[in-house]
Amino acid sequence: MGTTGQGQAGQDVDEANGQAVKRRSAASGFLDALRLSVTSGVTGAALAALVVGVIMEAVPVFVTGGGVLVVLILIGVVAGRRTPAGEEPPAGRLALARIEDLRATNGEMADVPVKFRLTVAPDDRPAYRVKINQAINLVDIPSYRPRGTAVVTYRPDEPWEVRIVTRPTPEWSRRAEEAEIDSAPESTLVSDPGVSEGSWCVLCLLAFLAGAALVVLLFRGELFTSGDGDGAAAKPPSSSSSSSTSRTFSTSTTVSGPSASLLTFGRMRLTAMELETRVDTAYVTAITIEDHRMAVRGDSTRPVSETVHLQSLPYELFPGLVREARTTLGVRDPRSWRIDVTPGSGAGAGPRVRVTVTGKEGTAHLDADATGRVTDRRAVGESG
């Protein structure tokens, strides 16, 4: 006999029941997600309040965060011990099911995971389709075949929770042998509308981070400005080699990358501004510039007339001076170059700029003033 041949009216009832179950499950899933999001967000905010309270030494913030955490813990303990009366889920019910298809996914163990597609035919509701995964003992697998009949348990409130009964009672075994179950249409397929475990974890994490970020944003002004003065004074310069004392200082920076060079237009001035920020002054006693490195030295006891102002130099003209030194001083294959800037040696004299190039022929240099005008040349082999 066919248990699912109910005509158009049976299909309409089936679809109506399936839609009602899906609506109830979706509403329950939404409430669970909302409850979990709120709990995770409040927990993140409470922990962030504890940390912010310690950093800012704000007792009210710390106490508030700790109090909220204690309340959450108490609620969790009470909810875990509470056993609500009359709210136990309905017990699983027995039913017959037609095996539409099955496929083993792994055969390396005694219990083999098998994917089933079933048509479940309960006695009190229309038949429906469902997909399940269940481990079946390797010895029992031949008992399950397509178009065969199996005994299953299902939950009326969650019809997708179906399990095959591997050892049914004699009565149900006899019913399974005698029953002929028609296939339910694909439109009756039911599945768990809830969120997967991975999605629950992502939702908890996002809500937790959102709660923590909200607290940090609320106190961002006090949090990021507290102790700035001491922190700035104690922060060491992040250069490749630097040191400082109360009287003298020196620092340097390196331009990385195979195509990076301080000869690139504008790069020297930007690097000089960076070094000025590190030493907290624009007046230095010496500047050294190489292809990928710039360094400065200074002495806080020197008068301004015996120093060089970092931003007053014509850095945009220095690449031209290097190019002239490499091509006009007898160094055919220059291997390296260096610019040294030092204070002038006379009253009213400006800084002295010396460009030195080195190659297999030897070393040569040219001197220039603070405006980039060449004042002296020393080719390879010339003294001076």
Side-chain angles (χ1 to χ4, degrees):
M1 60 178 178
T3 61
T4 63
Q6 302 171 13
Q8 184 63 36
Q11 294 183 9
D12 292 342
V13 173
D14 188 8
E15 293 178 1
N17 291 338
Q19 292 176 0
V21 170
K22 290 182 180 180
R23 285 195 296 268
R24 289 195 298 269
S25 301
S28 177
F30 174 78
L31 292 177
D32 291 340
L34 181 61
R35 187 184 306 110
L36 187 61
S37 300
V38 172
T39 304
S40 301
V42 173
T43 303
L47 289 176
L50 285 176
V51 176
V52 170
V54 171
I55 295 176
M56 297 174 49
E57 298 181 358
V59 176
V61 178
F62 180 83
V63 172
T64 301
V68 172
L69 279 180
V70 171
V71 171
L72 289 175
I73 293 174
L74 291 177
I75 292 175
V77 172
V78 172
R81 293 182 177 180
R82 185 171 59 91
T83 55
E87 295 185 7
E88 295 183 0
R93 298 182 182 179
L94 291 172
L96 298 179
R98 173 189 171 95
I99 302 175
E100 303 291 348
D101 188 19
L102 72 160
R103 181 166 61 90
T105 58
N106 192 345
E108 299 179 358
M109 301 177 63
D111 291 334
V112 180
V114 181
K115 293 183 177 180
F116 288 92
R117 286 195 305 117
L118 306 173
T119 290
V120 181
D123 293 334
D124 56 353
R125 59 166 291 174
Y128 61 91
R129 286 282 190 104
V130 69
K131 295 180 181 179
I132 66 170
N133 295 322
Q134 183 171 340
I136 302 296
N137 191 277
L138 188 61
V139 178
D140 296 332
I141 287 183
S143 302
Y144 304 98
R145 61 190 185 280
R147 295 182 297 279
T149 304
V151 181
V152 299
T153 61
Y154 74 99
R155 289 178 54 180
D157 59 328
E158 296 180 353
W160 53 86
E161 291 290 342
V162 176
R163 304 295 294 174
I164 293 178
V165 180
T166 57
R167 296 292 183 268
T169 63
E171 178 185 356
W172 279 97
S173 296
R174 185 175 60 256
R175 290 185 59 181
E177 293 175 358
E178 297 174 353
E180 295 181 4
I181 302 175
D182 296 336
S183 297
E186 287 289 344
S187 60
T188 63
L189 179 67
V190 297
S191 59
D192 187 357
V195 186
S196 63
E197 293 182 2
S199 300
W200 283 119
C201 293
V202 173
L203 181 63
C204 290
L205 178 60
L206 293 178
F208 181 90
L209 295 178
L214 179 61
V215 173
V216 173
L217 289 175
L218 289 176
F219 295 95
R220 65 185 182 278
E222 298 86 348
L223 189 62
F224 296 122
T225 57
S226 60
D228 277 355
D230 296 339
K235 184 179 179 180
S238 56
S239 58
S240 57
S241 60
S242 62
S243 62
S244 62
T245 66
S246 59
R247 297 179 60 83
T248 62
F249 59 84
S250 66
T251 187
S252 65
T253 187
T254 301
V255 179
S256 60
S259 61
S261 172
L262 287 172
L263 294 178
T264 304
F265 184 80
R267 190 178 293 272
M268 284 190 191
R269 186 170 297 279
L270 291 176
T271 306
M273 293 173 63
E274 177 185 348
L275 294 177
E276 179 182 343
T277 302
R278 293 184 183 181
V279 299
D280 199 23
T281 180
Y283 295 95
V284 298
T285 57
I287 304 172
T288 301
I289 305 173
E290 296 173 318
D291 194 21
H292 296 283
R293 179 175 177 272
M294 179 182 287
V296 297
R297 298 191 305 275
D299 189 342
S300 59
T301 62
R302 289 280 191 95
V304 175
S305 59
E306 297 180 7
T307 62
V308 178
H309 193 280
L310 277 172
Q311 297 304 321
S312 65
L313 298 174
Y315 295 106
E316 291 74 18
L317 301 179
F318 285 178
L321 294 177
V322 173
R323 184 167 52 254
E324 185 173 350
R326 297 174 68 178
T327 57
T328 64
L329 299 180
V331 182
R332 298 179 182 177
D333 185 18
R335 298 176 181 174
S336 64
W337 60 268
R338 189 181 74 244
I339 301 175
D340 295 293
V341 184
T342 54
S345 58
R352 175 186 177 187
V353 181
R354 168 162 289 187
V355 181
T356 303
V357 293
T358 303
K360 61 182 180 180
E361 297 85 356
T363 301
H365 66 263
L366 62 79
D367 294 335
D369 58 18
T371 64
R373 183 177 61 87
V374 177
T375 59
D376 190 20
R377 301 172 185 271
R378 291 290 185 272
V380 174
E382 297 183 11
S383 59

